[in-house]
């Protein structure tokens, strides 16, 4: 009969054999496995270093391209907009690059009659009725409100009123007095609908509207619609160039380019957030005021070319 001591000895032998196998196996594999892991780590380290160097190289190239655009602007822009009166209107989404666009226009010799920055409150659909009331509150005597849009859209009506005091009136129409211009702007400034970073000094013949990416909050569709209505009203009142950032996702540049009517009269630039795009924005305005021709420029798939034909 097999007794308890036999079982103990047998189990001990089994565990001892397993232990010896693990030790021997580990010793046999430790060298090759460790070497292989070490090689993989070294390879990954080299790949990471190469990628870091590639990123640094691209950043340097981008800086050089920006520098090149800034320097070439000093060659091609001066004098191209001399005597042309331009008002710059910045949308909330374009605030970061409005100043860059403004500087290019000044380099071209444009008379910048003012810089208006529309605030989020102006675009917010919750303020639709309040913007309708703001039109009535301004009550300019030399810019009557009877001819303004009556569609019940506050942004549309208010933009039409602002356009009527910021831009030249149609031939034969009574010019807006300086007092009325100041009164209308003051009404919107006091209500925090806009700010004037550069005070308006005279009416303009053209507008550069600086925009950015589309809205992404719960009211994004209505806000993007409001931005488009701003562009439509300025387009009806005078020459318009949109300096934007991107051309997809429903932003202003994309909306204009997808509209068969607006694309005929509004020029767009989809990379005005860069020095190159700011240069092209000025060139697009040169084309508009000299050739009365709209164009779609930038790096987006729906752009016609990088830039318009350079002035002769």
């Amino acid at each position: 009969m097999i007794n308890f001591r036999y079982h103990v000895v047998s189990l001990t032998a089994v565990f001892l054999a397993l232990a010896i196998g693990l030790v021997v196996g580990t010793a046999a594999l430790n060298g090759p496995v460790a070497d292989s892991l070490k090689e993989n780590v070294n390879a990954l380290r080299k790949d990471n270093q190469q990628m870091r160097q590639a990123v640094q190289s691209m950043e340097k190239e981008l800086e050089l391209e920006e520098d090149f655009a800034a320097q070439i602007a000093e060659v091609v822009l001066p004098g191209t907009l001399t005597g042309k009166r331009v008002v710059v209107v910045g949308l909330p989404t374009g605030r970061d690059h409005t100043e860059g666009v403004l500087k290019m226009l000044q380099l071209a010799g444009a008379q910048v009659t003012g810089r208006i920055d529309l605030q989020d409150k102006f675009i917010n659909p919750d303020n639709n009725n309040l913007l309708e009331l703001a039109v009535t509150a301004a009550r300019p005597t030399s810019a009557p409100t009877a001819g303004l849009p009556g569609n019940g859209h506050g942004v549309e009506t208010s933009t039409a009123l602002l356009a009527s005091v910021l831009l030249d009136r149609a031939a034969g129409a009574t010019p807006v007095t300086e007092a009325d211009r100041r009164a209308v702007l003051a009404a919107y400034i006091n209500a925090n609908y806009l700010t004037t970073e550069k005070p308006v000094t005279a009416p303009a013949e053209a507008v550069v509207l600086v925009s950015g990416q589309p809205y992404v909050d719960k009211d994004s569709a209505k806000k993007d619609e409001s931005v488009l209505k701003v562009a439509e009203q300025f387009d009806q009142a005078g020459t318009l160039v949109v300096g934007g950032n991107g051309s997809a996702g429903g932003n202003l540049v994309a909306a204009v380019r997808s509209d068969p009517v607006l694309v005929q009269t509004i020029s767009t630039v989809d990379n005005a957030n860069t020095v190159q795009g700011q240069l092209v924005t000025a060139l697009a305005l040169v084309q508009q005021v000299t050739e009365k021709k709209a164009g779609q420029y930038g790096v987006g798939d729906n752009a016609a070319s990088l830039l318009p034909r350079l002035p002769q």
Side-chain angles (χ1 to χ4, degrees), residues 18-158:
L18 287 172
I20 292 171
L22 286 173
V23 171
V24 173
T26 302
L29 294 176
N30 187 51
V33 171
D35 291 343
S36 177
L37 288 174
K38 193 172 184 179
E39 289 176 3
N40 288 336
V41 169
N42 288 335
L44 289 173
R45 185 179 292 113
K46 289 180 180 179
D47 287 343
N48 186 45
Q49 184 177 6
Q50 290 174 351
M51 283 190 251
R52 188 182 295 110
Q53 291 173 345
V55 169
Q56 291 173 347
S57 177
M58 286 188 285
E59 289 176 345
K60 183 63 176 178
E61 288 178 9
L62 180 59
E63 289 177 6
L64 292 174
E65 288 176 2
E66 296 279 274
D67 290 343
F68 175 80
Q71 292 181 36
I72 202 68
E74 296 179 358
V75 176
V76 301
L77 282 183
T80 55
L81 289 173
T82 298
K84 303 302 181 182
R85 293 169 287 110
V86 184
V87 62
V88 177
V89 179
L91 291 164
T93 55
R95 197 160 293 149
D96 291 342
H97 50 280
T98 300
E99 186 64 25
V101 171
L102 179 63
K103 288 180 179 178
M104 287 293 181
L105 296 173
Q106 291 173 326
L107 179 61
Q111 177 189 345
V112 179
T113 61
R115 172 182 167 181
I116 304 293
D117 281 350
L118 299 180
Q119 301 301 303
D120 290 312
K121 185 178 179 181
F122 191 89
I123 304 300
N124 192 330
D126 293 339
N127 296 324
N128 182 64
N129 293 333
L130 293 175
L131 283 167
E132 285 283 347
L133 295 174
V135 173
T136 305
R139 296 183 184 281
T141 55
S142 60
T145 59
L148 299 178
N151 300 328
H153 200 296
V155 169
E156 182 179 51
T157 310
S158 283

Side-chain angles (χ1 to χ4, degrees), residues 106 112 128-129 184 215 225 247 259 261 284 291 307:
Q106 291 173 326
V112 179
N128 182 64
N129 293 333
V184 170
Y215 288 94
E225 179 187 5
S247 60
D259 189 302
V261 176
E291 302 178 27
L307 73 166

